Amino acid sequence: MSTSSPLAHHGTRITQYAIRCSPLASLILLAIFPLLTSNYPTIGDGLNHFYRLAELERHIAQGDLYPRWLATLHYGYGSPLFNFYSSLSYYIALIFRIAFPLATSLQLGYIFALIVAIIGAYTWARDQFDSDVAGLACAAAYAFAPYLYFDIFHRGAYPETWGLALAPWVMRSALRVTFNSSRLDSLAFALLYAALILTHTITAFILTPILLVYIFTLLFTRNHESVTPSAARNLLGNPRDSSSHPSTTREKHRAPLRTLLGMTLHPFGIWILGFGISCFFVLPIIFESQFIQLNRTINIIDLDYRNNFLTLSTLFSLPPNFDPNLVANFMPASLSLAQLVLVIGNWLLVIILARRNLQSLIPNLPLFILLCFLTLSISQPLWSAFPLAQFIQFPWRLVGIASLL
């Protein structure tokens, strides 16, 4: 007879869970260490985000919970900033305001974004490749991606950092909702996509076509695994077993087609729902941008996409050493060779440890190559063919999403 008590068994499970989570926890601590030992970024747009956070707090204190007009910006003339600029990330920072000063709250916002990004990259890769090791490799590649630290320390791009933090969660939700019609997964996908739009519009703009290609690729590379009687019952909501249901030969041949159609329409329907949730923010951008000087965000030389392409050597260059004697240090938006080694290592792990899911690499690899290509000047004709793409401003912004893939 076993003498082990339920309490001892429960303690063993907790210990096993702690051991399993320790590599990821160590990775997170190592990644956020530079943020723990420094103040909130003041370079680039860092101070602008601090001022906006302070102004948002003032409006909320006066009962204006979602201010589209910030009264004291622009030397007291005011600005319709949040009518056209995503604001959700500032609300996240204000959560920490309950216990910390404003500056510390903003710094904690950066730290929390990095933690969310790492956990998201881990869970997405783990689910897609069905491997904890692949998840850790992906999390490491994303955690130490030069672009994330470039965004934080060199640009002070707080909302974009949160956009990149939500990106792996959106991709994971897309993966789950493509093959699972549960209401919880569908709701999560819609809410996460809406949250991405409300956090950083440009990141959502970049990720949307990638997301669509990703879903299509998953469907066409995995439909032979997913179009099974059980998958059909889940997708079509049929509780009866198809093997025992009397049907004609024509209906049997028609079932896989209906299943594939349902698999295709379901994720895109949820994606449209997510877009609809954010319409209170998106519609003013579409219909009221004519009343502001939005063209100034792309017509200035430094913000013109044609002046912000990378060279191939810069794309894969190592981050330069910081020189404290310089007023401004040059910091390229690169993938770096070190990260590329981690990416290739992750792919090799998938090949070695999860051969049965080798086709899981198919959606990621071409998207990674495409994003890298679009950061180079040779891709300018493609940018010119899509006028809205100029609002991305910096082609090297695509490095952020490429770091995830």
Side-chain angles (χ1 to χ4, degrees), residues 120-133:
Y122 168 77
T123 55
W124 175 44
R126 181 200 61 193
D127 288 357
Q128 178 167 330
F129 303 125
D130 193 21
S131 168
D132 287 332
V133 178

Side-chain angles (χ1 to χ4, degrees), residues 105-360:
S105 298
L106 183 57
Q107 184 179 3
L108 289 172
Y110 282 105
I111 293 173
F112 191 46
L114 198 52
I115 294 173
V116 170
I118 295 170
I119 297 176
Y122 168 77
T123 55
W124 175 44
R126 181 200 61 193
D127 288 357
Q128 178 167 330
F129 303 125
D130 193 21
S131 168
D132 287 332
V133 178
L136 284 172
C138 180
Y142 201 43
F144 303 114
Y147 188 84
L148 283 176
Y149 295 94
F150 168 76
D151 243 11
I152 295 171
F153 290 109
H154 188 72
R155 299 182 61 219
Y158 176 66
E160 184 173 343
T161 302
W162 263 106
L164 293 173
L166 291 177
W169 291 98
V170 174
M171 298 295 283
R172 178 178 182 261
S173 290
L175 175 69
R176 292 179 66 87
V177 83
T178 301
F179 305 112
N180 190 348
S181 61
S182 74
R183 293 180 180 179
L184 183 60
D185 286 327
S186 299
L187 180 62
F189 183 37
L191 291 178
L192 282 167
Y193 183 72
L196 180 63
I197 295 175
L198 299 174
T199 299
H200 193 243
T201 313
I202 294 179
T203 300
F205 183 60
I206 294 171
L207 191 65
T208 296
I210 295 172
L211 196 61
L212 299 179
V213 172
Y214 177 70
I215 293 173
F216 265 122
T217 309
L218 285 176
L219 288 170
F220 283 100
T221 56
R222 286 185 169 180
N223 69 79
H224 69 279
E225 292 184 1
S226 302
V227 182
T228 62
S230 60
R233 289 194 300 273
N234 288 334
L235 287 166
L236 300 178
N238 182 10
R240 303 181 63 179
D241 192 308
S242 59
S243 61
S244 61
H245 186 273
S247 60
T248 62
T249 303
R250 181 180 300 177
E251 287 174 337
K252 288 182 178 180
H253 284 289
R254 200 180 295 170
L257 180 60
R258 291 200 303 266
T259 301
L260 184 58
L261 182 61
M263 290 172 59
T264 304
L265 295 179
H266 179 70
F268 293 108
I270 302 303
W271 170 72
I272 293 173
L273 175 61
F275 182 83
I277 293 173
S278 64
C279 271
F280 71 93
F281 169 71
V282 176
L283 291 181
I285 296 179
I286 297 174
F287 294 107
E288 298 178 10
S289 294
Q290 57 181 318
F291 303 116
I292 62 172
Q293 301 179 50
L294 192 61
N295 62 309
R296 295 190 63 183
T297 63
I298 56 176
N299 289 342
I300 299 174
I301 293 178
D302 291 342
L303 302 180
D304 190 329
Y305 76 93
R306 291 168 292 188
N307 300 321
N308 288 286
F309 286 105
L310 299 176
T311 63
L312 191 61
S313 59
T314 302
L315 178 62
F316 296 107
S317 65
L318 291 172
N321 293 326
F322 181 81
D323 188 349
N325 297 317
L326 296 177
V327 175
N329 281 265
F330 172 70
M331 188 67 64
S334 65
L335 282 168
S336 90
L337 290 174
Q339 188 190 12
L340 189 60
V341 169
L342 277 173
V343 171
I344 296 175
N346 188 27
W347 294 341
L348 290 176
L349 281 171
V350 172
I351 295 173
I352 296 171
L353 300 177
R355 291 184 178 181
R356 62 191 175 88
N357 286 329
L358 182 58
Q359 59 186 347
S360 299

Side-chain angles (χ1 to χ4, degrees), residues 41-80:
T42 57
I43 196 172
D45 292 333
L47 282 177
N48 287 334
H49 297 306
F50 177 77
Y51 297 147
R52 293 168 183 176
L53 182 63
E55 182 67 0
L56 176 61
E57 182 186 37
R58 190 180 71 86
H59 275 268
I60 291 177
Q62 295 176 357
D64 189 4
L65 301 182
Y66 182 66
R68 293 181 180 270
W69 181 278
L70 299 184
T72 63
L73 288 188
H74 294 178
Y75 303 100
Y77 288 99
S79 169

Side-chain angles (χ1 to χ4, degrees), residues 378-395:
I378 193 174
S379 67
Q380 183 171 330
L382 286 177
W383 286 81
S384 302
F386 299 95
L388 286 178
Q390 62 186 324
F391 287 100
I392 295 176
Q393 299 171 318
F394 314 116

